[in-house]
């Protein structure tokens, strides 16, 4: 189908480009150009639709079974060539300056579109080898699948079960600027506590050692006093006997 049409029997829209097994008939001539008519059934109600060529206006005409859908559009916005009517074509042929102006405009547009055409041609040549394009897509798919598997494994290690994205350079720079003061404070408190415990242990051992040494000194003094007393008593007993 050369354009969008509405079926007159079931009112179904038949889109442009839909293929039909049409019957082709030669129904006349426009000078030396043949006029062809195509008969095709609607795919919903099997209503016969006839479309005929119009060489005079360079278009197609719906002659039976359907109605053409009227669509207004801007040729410049659509990026297509605007077709002129018969009167406009005859006026341009008669006016040499108008035809020259149109020729110059067409040359300018062709020059502007040359770069785009070259780009499209390069893309077409690049995508010409179907096997190379398919292998490239499969390679990218395998690489991405491997990356997703590694991300899942990394997420399961800490028990999060959430896929974590890889750190970028910006993430590393921001993480380096963060200062964990509370961790440093905890380490300082822990170190101070250890110091107090150690100092308490050493002070108790020192005090216990000093007290034990004092006990030994006092016991020695008592022994000496006893010995002195016993010696004195022995000397006194010896003098009385004499």
């Amino acid at each position: 189908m050369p354009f969008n049409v509405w079926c007159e029997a079931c009112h179904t829209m038949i889109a442009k480009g839909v293929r039909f097994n049409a019957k082709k008939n030669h129904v006349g001539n426009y000078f030396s150009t043949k006029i062809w008519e195509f008969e095709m059934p609607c795919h919903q109600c099997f209503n016969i639709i006839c479309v005929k060529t119009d060489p005079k206006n360079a278009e197609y005409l719906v002659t039976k079974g359907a109605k053409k859908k009227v669509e207004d559009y801007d040729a410049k916005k659509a990026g297509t060539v605007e077709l002129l009517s018969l009167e406009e074509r005859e006026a341009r042929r008669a006016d040499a300056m108008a035809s020259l102006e149109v020729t110059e405009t067409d040359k300018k547009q062709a020059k502007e579109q040359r770069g785009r055409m070259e780009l499209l041609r390069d893309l077409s040549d690049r995508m010409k080898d179907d096997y190379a394009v398919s292998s490239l897509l499969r390679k990218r798919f395998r690489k991405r699948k491997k990356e997703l598997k590694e991300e899942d494994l990394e997420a399961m290690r800490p028990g999060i079960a959430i896929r974590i994205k890889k750190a970028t350079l910006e993430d590393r720079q921001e993480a380096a600027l963060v200062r964990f003061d509370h961790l440093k404070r905890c380490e300082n408190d822990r170190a101070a506590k250890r110091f107090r415990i150690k100092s308490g242990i050493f002070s108790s051992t020192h005090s216990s050692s000093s007290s034990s040494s004092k006990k030994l000194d006092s016991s020695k003094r008592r022994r000496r006093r006893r010995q002195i007393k016993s010696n004195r008593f022995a000397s006194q007993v010896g003098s009385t006997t004499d």
Side-chain angles (χ1 to χ4, degrees):
M1 188 63 66
F3 36 69
N4 298 331
V5 298
W6 296 98
C7 178
E8 292 182 347
C10 62
H11 303 288
T12 302
M13 192 191 80
I14 302 173
K16 178 182 177 181
V18 176
R19 295 175 178 270
F20 289 94
N21 292 324
K23 182 180 179 182
K24 184 178 179 182
N25 299 319
H26 178 217
V27 294
N29 294 320
Y30 176 72
F31 295 105
S32 62
T33 304
K34 293 182 179 181
I35 299 174
W36 299 98
E37 187 179 57
F38 303 93
E39 293 183 3
M40 62 202 80
C42 175
H43 60 282
Q44 292 289 341
C45 63
F46 301 103
N47 178 42
I48 299 300
I49 300 172
C50 296
V51 178
K52 185 174 69 174
T53 59
D54 186 7
K56 182 179 180 181
N57 298 317
E59 62 177 357
Y60 291 90
L61 298 175
V62 181
T63 58
K64 180 183 175 183
K67 183 172 64 174
K68 182 180 178 181
K69 183 181 178 182
V70 179
E71 295 178 339
D72 296 331
Y73 66 96
D74 189 358
K76 292 182 179 180
K77 292 182 179 180
T80 58
V81 178
E82 185 177 2
L83 298 177
L84 302 176
S85 62
L86 181 61
E87 292 79 7
E88 290 176 346
R89 286 200 295 268
E90 292 295 335
R92 285 192 178 181
R93 288 195 190 99
D95 191 353
M97 293 300 295
S99 61
L100 180 62
E101 184 179 355
V102 170
T103 304
E104 293 296 328
T105 304
D106 292 341
K107 288 181 180 180
K108 185 178 179 180
Q109 290 179 354
K111 188 177 181 180
E112 292 176 354
Q113 295 294 331
R114 189 175 300 163
R116 184 181 177 188
M117 292 298 295
E118 290 178 357
L119 179 62
L120 293 174
R121 193 180 298 111
D122 293 340
L123 291 173
S124 178
D125 294 339
R126 195 181 305 169
M127 299 297 179
K128 193 174 182 179
D129 191 357
D130 296 336
Y131 177 76
V133 175
S134 178
S135 62
L136 179 62
L137 290 175
R138 284 187 278 110
K139 185 177 180 181
R140 290 180 180 176
F141 176 74
R142 287 194 298 268
K143 184 179 179 181
R144 181 57 183 162
K145 189 176 180 181
K146 187 177 179 181
E147 290 176 355
L148 292 176
K149 190 174 180 181
E150 291 177 356
E151 289 177 3
D152 291 337
L153 291 175
E154 289 291 334
M156 292 300 293
R157 283 178 184 174
I160 301 175
I162 299 174
R163 188 174 293 165
I164 303 173
K165 292 185 177 180
K166 291 184 177 179
T168 60
L169 180 60
E170 186 178 356
D171 295 336
R172 294 192 185 95
Q173 291 176 353
E174 290 181 358
L177 297 175
V178 176
R179 296 182 62 184
F180 297 97
D181 293 335
H182 65 283
L183 294 177
K184 191 174 181 181
R185 221 178 294 119
C186 291
E187 290 178 359
N188 294 335
D189 294 342
R190 197 179 295 113
K193 189 174 181 181
R194 287 177 181 172
F195 177 76
R196 286 196 299 270
I197 291 170
K198 289 180 180 180
S199 62
I201 291 172
F202 289 124
S203 63
S204 63
T205 54
H206 179 69
S207 61
S208 62
S209 61
S210 62
S211 62
S212 60
S213 63
K214 287 179 180 179
K215 288 180 180 179
L216 289 174
D217 294 338
S218 61
S219 61
K220 287 180 180 180
R221 290 194 191 102
R222 288 170 189 165
R223 288 176 185 176
R224 285 180 183 178
R225 288 174 184 174
R226 289 174 185 175
Q227 190 175 4
I228 291 168
K229 285 181 180 181
S230 62
N231 292 334
R232 285 178 182 178
F233 181 74
S235 63
Q236 289 178 1
V237 171
S239 62
T240 57
T241 53
D242 292 338

